[in-house]
């Protein structure tokens, strides 16, 4: 089943986000290689694809996991948590209706 992971950043975490990004992306690439990643990306803190110093307010990941518990465990192990980027992550089942 698909699950959405909506993570919210701590204020002022842009430097920590940049530093932890390679490890974060490596985990996402594993999901992609396994055919389990549907979508992933950050939420800019302002209305711009490149928010510059404004940074990001969080991230959205939609991926396939065997259970809600597995999705939550994967989210909790994200390097962004260890680096102090993410303040919290909400994990929910997701059903693709369109396209």
């Amino acid at each position: 089943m698909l699950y959405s992971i909506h993570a919210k950043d701590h204020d002022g975490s842009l430097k920590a986000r940049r530093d932890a990004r390679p490890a974060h992306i490596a985990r996402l690439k594993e999901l992609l290689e396994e055919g389990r990643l549907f979508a992933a990306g950050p939420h800019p803190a302002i209305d711009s694809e490149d928010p510059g110093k404004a940074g990001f307010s969080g991230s959205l990941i939609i991926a396939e996991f065997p259970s809600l518990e597995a999705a939550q465990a994967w989210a909790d192990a994200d390097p962004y948590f260890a680096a102090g980027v993410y303040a919290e992550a909400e994990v929910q089942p997701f059903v693709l209706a369109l396209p």
Side-chain angles (χ1 to χ4, degrees), residues 4-7 27 61 65 69-81 86 89-91:
S4 66
I5 301 169
H6 181 225
R27 291 181 82 233
I61 298 164
F65 293 94
E69 293 78 15
Q72 185 69 60
W74 188 91
D76 290 344
D78 196 290
Y80 279 175
F81 270 118
Y86 287 162
E90 181 178 17
V91 180

Side-chain angles (χ1 to χ4, degrees), residues 19-86:
D19 292 346
R21 188 172 189 273
H24 171 76
I25 295 297
R27 291 181 82 233
L28 291 171
K29 285 184 178 178
E30 287 177 14
L31 288 178
L32 183 63
E33 290 168 2
E34 294 169 0
R36 297 171 44 206
L37 183 64
F38 181 78
H43 295 287
I46 61 173
D47 190 13
S48 174
E49 285 189 32
D50 181 4
K53 291 180 183 179
F56 300 91
S57 62
S59 301
L60 175 66
I61 298 164
I62 301 174
E64 184 180 345
F65 293 94
S67 67
L68 178 60
E69 293 78 15
Q72 185 69 60
W74 188 91
D76 290 344
D78 196 290
Y80 279 175
F81 270 118
V85 176
Y86 287 162

